[in-house]
Amino acid sequence: MSGQTTNLAAVVHGPNDLRMEEIAVPVPGEGGKTGVHKCCCRSGRWGSAGSDIKYWRDGRCGRFRLTSPMVIGHEASGTVVGVGPGVLHLKLGDRVAIEPGVPCRKCQYCKSGRYNLCPDIVFCATPPGDGNMCRYYIHPADFCFRLPDCVSLDEGALLEPLAVAIHSCRKGDVTSGDSVLVCGAGPIGILTMLVARRLGAEKIVITDVDIQRLEFAASLGASTLLVQSQTQIELCTGITDLLQGRPRSVFECSGVDTNLHLAIDVVAPGGVVVMVGRGSSDLKLPVFQITSKEVQIKGVFRYSNCYRAALNMVLSMPDTNIKQLITHRFPLEGAIKAFEMASGRNNGAIKVVVQCDAITD
Ligand SMILES: [Zn+2]
């Protein structure tokens, strides 16, 4: 850790204003009264996520709005280069995945395990908290997960969206033999599809407007439906034909309002609709359908206690290498180009990775 004087960071200043800047090099200090011991990581990989893109494009994401310049990025892995006093489970040179949300550890939500709902949670790249797309980043050590030798820094970074998928499938009560619909074949949709299959879902249909994304999902074993100009009735028929019935769990991962209506329409009576994507804040819903079918609509906000499960899933399914999602790579200096690629349509991009070290392949 000694001798580092520069710390290049991707800093978003406002809509369409992302700058590469040098920021201070962090130092892991004492745990202090909180007893939270920290470590410093030299960054390895970051995934460019949907919320990062929203802060870059719009200066806001959902109810969170930029109020001052913010380091972007929250899907990260790295190598430990400094540990504060009291850090016992990590040592210099360990490679880690960084769980980006750090809660208070004291409130009723934290104590009950639902720490994603902690009112005092500090989450990377959610205002006013800085993200971790910088060469050196300091983080509470208990939210850094050591990676076994067989798990790469790429996979370490992808544990974050995989954690979202695991949390979503837990909400969707996916069990063996289920029929599942996933709306949206972006990284979260595809990972949700993979997790659902891992949990035993027998039939899975995934929809999107992007043919290349659907081709990729099909290569991983999903049935696909291209959404073009069909009516909702036509889409319902297409989905139920592919599934040979109605889905018991539907995951709305696109953030497109019409897909939430489709989900409620097509889901089986007594089924679950999980809202993973974020659509309009004031959407009208078909209340009669929801009540008469006893549809359970569940919101998803990040995740809790999913990183360990995500790591175990990577270790236990070598046949489904999540690194396949990575379609493009950029160096940290090219972070702006990475976000442009990640936000493009019909360009073949699934997961765009920014990396700290040299790109060799
Ligand atoms: Zn809390």
Side-chain angles (χ1 to χ4, degrees), residues 103-107 109-110 118-120:
C104 79
R105 303 171 174 82
K106 295 172 185 170
C107 72
Y109 295 107
C110 286
C118 172
D120 295 319

Side-chain angles (χ1 to χ4, degrees), residues 67-119:
T67 54
S68 59
M70 178 183 80
V71 179
I72 210 164
H74 68 276
E75 296 180 2
S77 61
T79 303
V80 175
V81 293
V83 290
V87 176
L88 302 177
H89 73 291
L90 295 173
K91 63 182 187 307
L92 300 186
D94 281 348
R95 297 170 315 116
V96 293
I98 298 170
E99 180 173 349
V102 179
C104 79
R105 303 171 174 82
K106 295 172 185 170
C107 72
Q108 59 166 323
Y109 295 107
C110 286
K111 289 184 173 177
S112 67
R114 301 181 72 187
Y115 62 81
N116 55 320
L117 301 179
C118 172

Side-chain angles (χ1 to χ4, degrees), residues 12 78 80 84 105 120 123 136-137 173 182 190 194 202-203 212 225 243 247 289 309 334 341 346:
V12 61
V80 175
R105 303 171 174 82
D120 295 319
F123 200 92
Y136 294 96
Y137 182 69
D173 301 325
V182 178
I190 287 173
L194 291 175
E202 187 177 334
K203 295 170 185 165
Q212 288 176 296
L225 183 67
L243 291 174
Q289 261 193 318
M341 177 63 74
N346 293 306

